[in-house]
Amino acid sequence: MSAPRFSDAFRAELHELFAWRRDVRAFRPDPLPQGALERLLATACLAPSVGLSQPWRFVLVDDPARRAAVRANFERANGEALAAEPGERQGLYARLKLAGLDDAPCHVAVFADPSTEQGHGLGRRTMPEALDYSAVLAIHTLWLAARAEGIGVGWVSILDPAPLAATLEVPATWHFVGYLCIGFARADHEVPTLETAGWECRRPPETFLIRR
Amino acid sequence: MSAPRFSDAFRAELHELFAWRRDVRAFRPDPLPQGALERLLATACLAPSVGLSQPWRFVLVDDPARRAAVRANFERANGEALAAEPGERQGLYARLKLAGLDDAPCHVAVFADPSTEQGHGLGRRTMPEALDYSAVLAIHTLWLAARAEGIGVGWVSILDPAPLAATLEVPATWHFVGYLCIGFARADHEVPTLETAGWECRRPPETFLIRR
């Protein structure tokens, strides 16, 4: 198979995909088409990984009792975050409705397995967190592939990792990377919810560039 | 502006992009077109970030003395990794020529700034590493946008972070995430170099799925 050459039209659409991706919080409850999630996860496995270690572990959470425990975990962690926020931001923070946990038809917890033999340790010596980064790359691959199908992904990071691992009965040595809510978005937005809500706004790219 | 709807043709090309992305090690020395790197970095800034914190910091490394110091850093860290590898893999490890540092026309060191006020701390409480993950998402966005233009990216993680920060005169508090070699690839491959070289092979997606 010969290498693909991408067209200007493809690049323009790819830019649209990046611009309209969004971290989705408001989902329609309709299920995804049969097999869609498995297909997206297969695409995620094409992501780069340090030493080709593929350290990502995807836990598809369907059991209602486990989902309830995850929700309680989120409420606890979110409550602590609220308590730690200075006064004037608390209300806004609460109104942002970070979870999406209640409506999204699919829940996927993503972990990295630091004990994997795959990859033979390559590239992890000076930077063991490269394993976690590989799982992040898989999440992002899934995220973009999903959005291209009109499927939204929301990344929940406000969870306490240790009880989460217990709830999901995964090895305590696995490192929690992110909990994904996946489903059809209620609406599409080009501007991030946090920006619309007045929480924060994006800065111009030059802000982040340094020349040496 | 109304939300884009992506076509089957776009999705098929996007899948090709994921499949042919590659971690590039062998670069042609030709420079990138004027402005291409800045454009790719601007696209990278569309990546998701925790609390819209945009914690990524891109250091464009052009100074020959600094590049030489980075190279020496890599050789030292790589040498230590070699010494730590069991016998039979050492030769292969050395032959993999991990760096690409010598040929790539563009070098970009990527850090995350954990002290940034942007994002007001949202989502970082239970998982402070979400800031690093945001920088990883920016790198991946750049990587895909680059590949869509026929530009290759290689991620070097075998570097000692502390001396790297000193070499680049960035705050010691910044967290090193990855060092990118960017340029036109000598060749395109669908199969990862590590697989071709017999280091490791990718496993089927079901390997990484668990149902709970």
Side-chain angles (χ1 to χ4, degrees), chain A residues 12 45 119 167 169 171:
Chain A
C45 292
T167 295
E169 289 182 78

Side-chain angles (χ1 to χ4, degrees), chain A residues 44 47-58 110-140 155 173-178, chain B residues 129 132-133 136 155-158 175-178 194 199-200 208:
Chain A
S49 62
V50 61
L52 212 57
S53 56
Q54 301 188 291
W56 41 71
R57 304 293 180 261
F58 302 109
V110 185
F111 295 83
D113 177 5
S115 70
T116 185
E117 294 287 319
Q118 195 179 333
H120 307 284
L122 182 64
R124 298 179 214 169
R125 208 177 136 74
T126 52
M127 201 191 251
E129 59 271 43
L131 284 169
D132 299 328
Y133 296 173
S134 303
V136 171
L137 295 166
I139 291 173
H140 193 231
W155 179 325
T173 51
W174 285 11
H175 190 210
F176 171 58
V177 175
Chain B
E129 60 270 44
D132 299 328
Y133 296 172
V136 171
W155 179 325
V156 180
S157 59
I158 303 179
H175 191 211
F176 171 58
V177 176
L194 290 176
W199 181 270
E200 189 52 271
F208 310 112

Side-chain angles (χ1 to χ4, degrees), chain B residues 64-147:
Chain B
R66 293 190 209 266
R67 285 198 179 191
V70 170
R71 193 187 193 290
N73 183 327
F74 171 79
E75 286 189 306
R76 211 163 46 236
N78 196 39
E80 285 165 20
L82 266 172
E85 271 296 311
E88 81 272 24
R89 287 197 165 266
Q90 283 201 30
L92 179 58
Y93 192 102
R95 282 196 306 280
L96 289 175
K97 293 182 204 139
L98 288 172
L101 289 167
D102 289 331
D103 289 334
C106 299
H107 289 200
V108 178
V110 185
F111 295 83
D113 177 5
S115 70
T116 185
E117 293 288 319
Q118 195 180 334
H120 308 283
L122 182 65
R124 298 180 213 165
R125 208 178 136 74
T126 51
M127 201 191 249
E129 60 270 44
L131 284 168
D132 299 328
Y133 296 172
S134 303
V136 171
L137 295 165
I139 291 173
H140 193 232
T141 302
L142 181 150
W143 202 341
L144 294 169
R147 181 61 185 85

